[in-house]
């Protein structure tokens, strides 16, 4: 009960912890709280209210009555988004992909998108068909997913590259600054059709993807856009193969 684990994806100005099997857990001070589990968490209040899966909030000196798993982020006073790139383990996505794929052109040149270290954040059982829906997606038994989290940074005015391919389920939570998650009808900025503004503590309300008949995940064309220097958290759910 109330297992708390510090996650290595945190920085000197952003503390990140995983809280599992929470029961009457006191959140001390101000924290961004992301429900990474598949059941609603219950947050104390008048009245107490649920925090649904794939959602987040900002709590101040408040009790989490129960939760399967949540990620807690504490942003230090005076924290500046751009200083994250000086932390150990941070690199541009272009450099990361060039090293891991051997292809220097795996990510568009000149986009200052930075990624921090990735941290495991437990496991969940999820019925992806029930959670995501999809194009005639068949009913599936609950499957085990590995949860992984990391922080991202981009400076003000950055388009972080329109894409539509992921082999996992993801949501994003704003941590510092202001940005947007955007959806497009095609790989063209002029085809924008949904523009989700994100302030600190906001998580995109549902995963963007749907489940396909073959079990893969279908994403719309999408990207993150940084209105200001921004740090955000990615929460990824990776299906574990049998």
């Amino acid at each position: 009960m109330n297992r708390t684990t510090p996650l290595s994806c945190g920085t000197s100005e952003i503390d990140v912890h995983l809280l599992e099997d929470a029961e009457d857990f006191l959140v001390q001070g101000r924290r961004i709280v992301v429900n990474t589990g598949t059941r609603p968490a219950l947050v104390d209040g008048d009245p107490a209210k649920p925090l649904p899966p794939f959602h987040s909030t900002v709590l101040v000196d408040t009790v989490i009555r129960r939760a399967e798993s949540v990620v807690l982020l504490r942003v230090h006073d005076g924290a500046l988004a751009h200083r994250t790139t000086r932390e150990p383990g941070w690199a541009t996505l272009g450099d990361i992909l060039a090293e891991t794929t051997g292809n220097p052109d795996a990510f568009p040149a000149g986009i200052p998108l930075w990624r921090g270290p990735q941290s495991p954040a437990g496991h969940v059982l999820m019925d992806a068909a029930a959670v995501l829906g999809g194009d005639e997606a068949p009913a599936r038994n609950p499957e085990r997913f590995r949860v992984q989290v990391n922080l991202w940074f981009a400076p003000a005015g950055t388009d972080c590259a329109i894409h539509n391919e992921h082999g996992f389920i993801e949501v994003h939570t704003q941590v510092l600054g202001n940005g947007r998650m955007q959806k497009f009808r095609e790989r063209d900025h002029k085809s924008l059709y949904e523009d989700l503004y994100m302030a600190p503590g906001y998580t995109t309300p549902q995963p963007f993807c749907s489940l396909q008949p073959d079990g893969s995940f279908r994403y719309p064309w999408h990207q993150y856009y940084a209105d200001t220097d921004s740090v955000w958290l990615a929460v990824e759910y990776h299906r574990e193969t049998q």
Side-chain angles (χ1 to χ4, degrees):
M1 185 173 69
N2 291 335
R3 300 197 311 273
T4 305
T5 306
L7 299 182
S8 60
C9 66
T11 72
S12 59
E13 296 185 327
I14 304 171
D15 301 331
V16 185
H17 288 79
L18 174 67
L19 170 63
E20 298 176 284
D21 298 326
E23 183 175 328
D24 295 329
F25 179 87
L26 175 61
V27 175
Q28 296 181 314
R30 186 182 186 89
R31 301 287 190 277
I32 297 171
V33 179
V34 186
N35 186 355
T36 56
T38 55
R39 295 193 294 263
L42 185 63
V43 177
D44 199 19
D46 188 15
K49 298 293 286 184
L51 178 66
F54 309 113
H55 285 64
S56 62
T57 190
V58 179
L59 297 182
V60 183
D61 297 326
T62 304
V63 170
I64 299 174
R65 290 192 182 178
R66 65 172 181 267
E68 178 186 12
S69 63
V70 295
V71 169
L72 308 173
L73 299 102
R74 172 179 171 255
V75 179
H76 295 204
D77 292 342
L80 294 176
H82 72 270
R83 287 203 288 247
T84 57
T85 61
R86 305 173 188 172
E87 299 279 341
W90 280 75
T92 64
L93 185 58
D95 286 346
I96 292 170
L97 293 180
E99 180 177 347
T100 57
T101 67
N103 178 6
D105 300 318
F107 187 73
I111 297 179
L113 175 59
W114 292 72
R115 193 187 78 185
Q118 295 180 307
S119 297
H123 296 81
V124 298
L125 287 176
M126 186 192 313
D127 180 348
V131 170
L132 302 175
D135 299 332
E136 300 179 356
R140 304 172 70 96
N141 293 325
E143 299 171 283
R144 183 176 165 93
F145 285 79
R146 172 175 52 87
V147 185
Q148 179 172 285
V149 298
N150 67 269
L151 295 171
W152 293 90
F153 166 80
T158 301
D159 287 297
C160 293
I162 299 173
H163 58 288
N164 69 348
E165 294 182 0
H166 291 300
F168 48 82
I169 300 167
E170 68 171 2
V171 293
H172 298 89
T173 302
Q174 191 74 18
V175 178
L176 273 170
N178 294 279
R180 315 176 206 181
M181 286 300 298
Q182 300 177 317
K183 297 180 187 178
F184 303 87
R185 299 193 186 281
E186 51 192 78
R187 199 172 195 169
D188 185 335
H189 290 97
K190 294 179 181 178
S191 67
L192 175 71
Y193 71 89
E194 190 168 359
D195 207 12
L196 299 171
Y197 283 78
M198 300 173 65
Y202 178 86
T203 295
T204 46
Q206 287 291 337
F208 284 0
C209 59
S210 62
L211 184 68
Q212 298 300 283
D214 64 358
S216 64
F217 305 115
R218 181 185 177 214
Y219 279 84
W221 292 106
H222 66 283
Q223 73 161 4
Y224 182 89
Y225 176 82
D227 286 288
T228 68
D229 286 1
S230 292
V231 174
W232 63 101
L233 179 78
V235 182
E236 300 175 355
Y237 298 82
H238 296 258
R239 180 188 285 124
E240 293 198 332
T241 57
Q242 299 298 321

